[in-house]
């Protein structure tokens, strides 16, 4: 993996004080939209077909924290800012974001921005959406992203807000202020993430219904009332009312939900799919020769791991810590990334990504991520003295995501080193796996990973491992880690912040709330009829830029 760095744009915002940028496939054609604007001029041959997956939940921005739903929401909504292919920030709905000091921001939005129901996007649409996402009783998966705003409560009994966030104040229809409960040096940089999208007034009349038929303000909109065919796909068309910097240069997106990556790759090579952002492991050795210049293999901000909940037998307290370390050192990451992934992965040395500014491959304690048969056996034996091991070790994964080969290789490595019964535990779909994880009914280890929401180290750490964080799937809690994380996000000097994040990771390397495996390149490809295909820093194609010949 080429270790390019993405600049920490949030630091530049603080220095300048102001953001300085203006501003199984569906096979069905899009139908007439029930939203405002006419699709009569949409050329069906200009629709781009892409791969996707069934969202875990209805499409509500603050309750979507997985890639299937996130890909759709990012196409349908526009935030205050957006992220270019290299991770740099540009203003979208925002006319300006002024960082008055590390705890206070003033946001001005552009006049005339519209939702696809014809209503104008105003300050209230952001304030109401964020208040909804933060309210504890709404139990939104991304509520953690509002934790730094005044009025958010985090106690043993309450996580979220008990009413409207006091830190959000409307100045006028197009201006609002944000007061933070502590300095958050990268807060302005976060505001392109889906949790911060605005919602139209109609959403609050029936949020469940809205989740099935979302009304956005972005480059694309639903192609009609039946555009989302569950477990099949979703059809989006170009939104003629979107006037931001990410205007679609095509007619829309036909997002197909595939049961396997092999099926998606077969469609790509058979000219039945225009863009694919995940090559199956069966094609790693051949896809670049198969596709030639249409193959994509580049670094991306993606981290892969597996998580073992502390609530599982043998994995709590000191015994659990020893067993996690033993399992980690029993995995031959070098061999797996070479044999299974054909060099499209790089063994992890931390919990973040080499393409993010501040990444380090020399953290204290990182030896726990290196293959060491002798040490693994010693640690496992120490754990057995506390409580003898019994049963089977399994890693759950979704069979529709191309994970079987690496899971099998990982558990075989563990089995050979530790001499225990170890195997994979497949679930048919990503949605089924994530449902078990989020409702805490899964009884095995499970695959985890992170595709960055914005290009900063904090995004790989806070949402996943901070106490009560929305994506903290293993329910990890460490006061020492939380303290270092808080110090890092409060630092206005990026170097100081990154130093704190590295210390925080050294705590994680002791506890292993997740077991880092490798960093992923984005590997994909595109068909012969499309041009201007670029993949962004976070592995997602820049859909709005793609053009298609008839």
């Amino acid at each position: 993996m080429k270790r390019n760095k993405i600049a920490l744009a949030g630091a530049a915002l603080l220095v300048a004080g102001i953001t300085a940028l203006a501003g199984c496939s569906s096979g069905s054609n899009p139908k007439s939209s029930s939203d405002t604007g006419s699709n009569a001029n949409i050329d069906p041959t200009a629709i781009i077909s892409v791969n996707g997956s069934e969202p875990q939940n209805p499409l509500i921005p603050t309750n979507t924290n997985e890639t299937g739903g996130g890909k759709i929401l990012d196409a349908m909504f526009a935030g205050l800012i957006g992220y270019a292919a290299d991770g740099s920030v540009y203003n979208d709905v925002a006319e300006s974001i002024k960082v008055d000091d590390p705890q206070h921001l003033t946001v001005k939005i552009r006049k005339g921005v519209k939702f696809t129901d014809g209503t104008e996007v105003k300050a209230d649409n952001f304030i109401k959406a964020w208040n909804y996402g933060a309210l504890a009783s709404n139990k939104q998966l991304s509520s953690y992203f509002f934790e730094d705003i005044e009025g958010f409560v985090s106690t043993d009994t309450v996580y979220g807000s008990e009413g409207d966030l006091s830190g959000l104040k409307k100045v006028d229809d197009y201006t609002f202020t944000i007061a933070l409960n502590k300095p958050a040096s990268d807060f302005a940089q976060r505001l392109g993430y889906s949790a911060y999208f605005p919602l139209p007034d109609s959403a609050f009349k029936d949020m469940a219904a809205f989740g099935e038929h979302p009304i956005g303000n972005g480059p694309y909109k639903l192609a009609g009332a039946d555009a989302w065919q569950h477990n099949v796909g979703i059809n989006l068309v170009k939104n003629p009312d979107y006037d931001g910097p990410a205007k679609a240069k095509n007619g829309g997106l036909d997002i197909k939900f595939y049961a396997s990556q092999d099926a998606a790759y077969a469609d790509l090579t058979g000219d039945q799919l225009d863009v694919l952002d995940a090559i199956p492991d069966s094609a790693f050795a051949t896809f670049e020769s198969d596709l030639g210049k249409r193959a994509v293999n580049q670094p991306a901000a993606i981290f892969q791991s597996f998580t073992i909940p502390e609530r599982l037998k043998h994995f709590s307290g000191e015994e659990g810590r020893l067993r996690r370390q033993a399992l980690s050192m029993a995995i031959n990451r070098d061999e797996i990334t070479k044999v299974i992934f054909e060099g499209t992965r790089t063994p992890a040395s931390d919990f973040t990504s080499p393409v993010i500014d501040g990444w380090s491959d020399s953290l204290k304690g990182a030896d726990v991520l290196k293959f060491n048969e002798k040490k693994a056996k010693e640690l496992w034996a120490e754990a057995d003295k506390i409580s003898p091991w019994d049963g089977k070790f399994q890693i759950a994964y979704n069979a529709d995501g191309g994970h079987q080969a690496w899971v099998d290789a990982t558990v075989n490595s563990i089995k050979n080193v530790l001499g225990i019964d170890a195997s994979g535990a497949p679930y048919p779909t990503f949605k089924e796996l994530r449902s078990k994880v989020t409702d805490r009914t899964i009884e095995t280890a499970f695959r985890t990973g992170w595709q960055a929401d914005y290009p900063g180290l904090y995004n790989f750490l806070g949402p996943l491992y901070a106490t009560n964080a929305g994506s903290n799937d293993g329910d990890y809690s460490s006061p020492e880690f939380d303290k270092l994380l808080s110090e890092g996000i409060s630092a206005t000097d990026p170097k100081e912040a990154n130093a704190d994040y590295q210390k925080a990771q050294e705590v994680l390397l002791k506890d292993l709330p997740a077991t880092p495996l490798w960093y992923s390149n984005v590997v994909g490809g595109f068909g012969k009829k499309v041009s201007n295909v670029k993949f962004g820093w976070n592995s997602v194609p820049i859909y709005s830029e793609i053009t298609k010949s008839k």
Side-chain angles (χ1 to χ4, degrees):
M1 175 183 280
K2 291 172 64 179
R3 290 176 177 174
N4 300 327
K5 297 292 182 69
I6 291 176
L8 188 61
L13 297 180
L14 285 171
V15 172
I18 300 176
T19 51
L21 291 169
C24 172
S25 65
S26 66
S28 60
N29 290 324
K31 308 197 172 44
S32 295
S33 174
S34 58
D35 294 333
T36 186
S38 172
N39 295 325
N41 295 322
I42 296 295
D43 180 357
T45 64
I47 301 294
I48 309 297
S49 59
V50 305
N51 68 300
S53 59
E54 175 70 16
Q56 179 187 358
N57 297 308
L59 291 169
I60 300 169
T62 51
N63 204 40
T64 300
N65 67 348
E66 43 78 31
T67 55
K71 180 183 294 185
I72 299 166
L73 287 172
D74 286 347
M76 293 184 66
F77 285 82
L80 291 167
I81 62 171
Y83 306 109
D86 63 357
S88 58
V89 170
Y90 60 82
N91 282 356
D92 195 329
V93 177
E95 180 179 296
S96 66
I97 302 175
K98 182 180 179 183
V99 181
D100 302 308
D101 61 57
Q103 281 185 246
H104 296 88
L105 299 87
T106 299
V107 177
K108 290 184 179 294
I109 65 176
R110 295 188 291 114
K111 295 180 180 179
V113 177
K114 292 182 179 180
F115 291 105
T116 56
D117 63 359
T119 60
E120 192 175 7
V121 180
K122 296 184 178 181
D124 277 335
N125 296 109
F126 285 97
I127 293 171
K128 289 171 67 176
W130 297 8
N131 280 325
Y132 180 87
L135 190 63
S137 59
N138 288 332
K139 298 180 180 179
Q140 298 293 282
L141 291 174
S142 293
S143 63
Y144 177 80
F145 282 87
F146 305 102
E147 186 179 51
D148 291 331
I149 300 176
E150 282 186 1
F152 195 97
V153 180
S154 181
T155 68
D156 291 337
T157 57
V158 176
Y159 185 77
S161 63
E162 296 177 300
D164 289 348
L165 293 167
S166 59
L168 300 178
K169 300 292 185 184
K170 175 182 174 180
V171 177
D172 57 46
D173 281 349
Y174 303 99
T175 309
F176 67 100
T177 59
I178 307 169
L180 306 178
N181 51 39
K182 58 181 178 293
S185 57
D186 70 348
F187 194 83
Q189 189 189 21
R190 305 177 195 176
L191 296 176
Y193 179 53
S194 58
Y196 301 107
F197 287 160
L199 291 177
D201 292 342
S202 58
F204 302 99
K205 297 175 182 178
D206 188 340
M207 194 63 74
F210 177 85
E212 292 295 324
H213 301 90
I215 295 167
N217 63 315
Y220 300 95
K221 63 179 181 177
L222 290 177
D226 58 350
W228 183 2
Q229 299 293 319
H230 287 285
N231 300 308
V232 176
I234 190 166
N235 297 114
L236 307 179
V237 293
K238 180 179 180 178
N239 174 14
D241 291 328
Y242 174 75
D243 65 349
K247 273 187 178 179
K249 297 179 180 178
N250 49 66
L253 305 176
D254 178 11
I255 304 177
K256 305 180 180 185
F257 304 157
Y258 285 91
S260 72
Q261 290 181 342
D262 287 290
Y265 187 68
D267 271 5
L268 178 70
T269 55
D271 291 326
Q272 299 300 307
L273 186 71
D274 292 320
V275 181
L276 177 65
D277 62 9
I279 299 293
D281 52 39
S282 60
F284 280 153
T286 61
F287 84 98
E288 290 182 294
S289 58
D290 289 346
L291 300 175
K293 292 182 179 180
R294 295 182 290 110
V296 176
N297 185 1
Q298 68 186 52
I302 307 175
F303 164 86
Q304 298 289 340
S305 60
F306 66 82
T307 295
I308 310 171
E310 193 170 350
R311 58 182 168 77
L312 298 186
K313 184 180 179 182
H314 294 298
F315 287 101
S316 63
E318 179 65 9
E319 180 193 357
R321 186 180 67 83
L322 291 168
R323 294 203 187 280
R324 285 183 176 83
Q325 292 179 355
L327 289 165
S328 178
M329 300 183 87
I331 301 168
N332 193 332
R333 294 168 177 80
D334 287 327
E335 182 176 87
I336 293 172
T337 53
K338 290 176 183 176
V339 175
I340 301 297
F341 292 116
E342 297 282 345
T344 63
R345 307 289 189 273
T346 303
S349 59
D350 80 332
F351 289 78
T352 65
S353 167
V355 304
I356 302 296
D357 185 62
W359 172 82
S360 173
D361 61 355
S362 56
L363 297 175
K364 182 180 178 181
D367 285 349
V368 75
L369 305 183
K370 295 180 180 178
F371 185 53
N372 189 328
E373 296 181 72
K374 180 181 178 181
K375 186 65 174 177
K377 291 176 180 177
E378 290 175 356
L379 291 167
W380 196 259
E382 285 184 46
D384 278 342
K385 293 177 183 178
I386 299 173
S387 176
W389 174 259
D390 62 326
K392 176 188 294 187
F393 178 75
Q394 290 188 298
I395 299 176
Y397 64 95
N398 52 301
D400 63 349
H403 300 287
Q404 180 178 352
W406 75 256
V407 171
D408 286 349
T410 298
V411 294
N412 284 337
S413 185
I414 289 170
K415 182 191 301 183
N416 293 337
V417 171
L418 299 179
I420 62 173
D421 188 357
S423 65
Y427 285 74
T429 66
F430 180 72
K431 180 177 180 179
E432 290 174 76
L433 172 62
R434 285 304 305 172
S435 294
K436 287 284 187 180
V437 171
T438 53
D439 66 18
R440 303 304 192 256
T441 57
I442 197 162
E443 294 299 325
T444 66
F446 49 89
R447 82 159 192 91
T448 44
W450 194 250
Q451 176 180 298
D453 306 309
Y454 60 91
L457 288 184
Y458 180 85
N459 184 240
F460 282 88
L461 303 175
L464 280 77
Y465 311 115
T467 300
N468 292 325
S471 296
N472 187 342
D473 293 331
D475 297 321
Y476 174 68
S477 181
S478 165
E480 182 182 6
F481 172 80
D482 289 345
K483 180 175 182 294
L484 289 166
L485 197 67
S486 178
E487 290 174 355
I489 200 62
S490 299
T492 56
D493 182 339
K495 291 183 179 179
E496 290 182 11
N498 287 337
D500 288 327
Y501 297 144
Q502 290 169 6
K503 291 177 184 176
Q505 287 195 78
E506 291 174 354
V507 176
L508 298 183
L509 288 167
K510 294 178 185 177
D511 297 339
L512 291 180
T515 301
L517 294 172
W518 35 75
Y519 313 116
S520 297
N521 275 17
V522 54
V523 287
F526 52 94
K528 298 174 182 177
K529 296 181 180 180
V530 290
S531 304
N532 301 318
V533 180
K534 294 181 181 179
F535 283 63
W537 61 279
N538 61 350
S539 84
V540 178
I542 311 299
Y543 294 119
S544 60
E545 292 292 317
I546 301 172
T547 57
K548 188 174 184 178
S549 59
K550 294 184 179 181

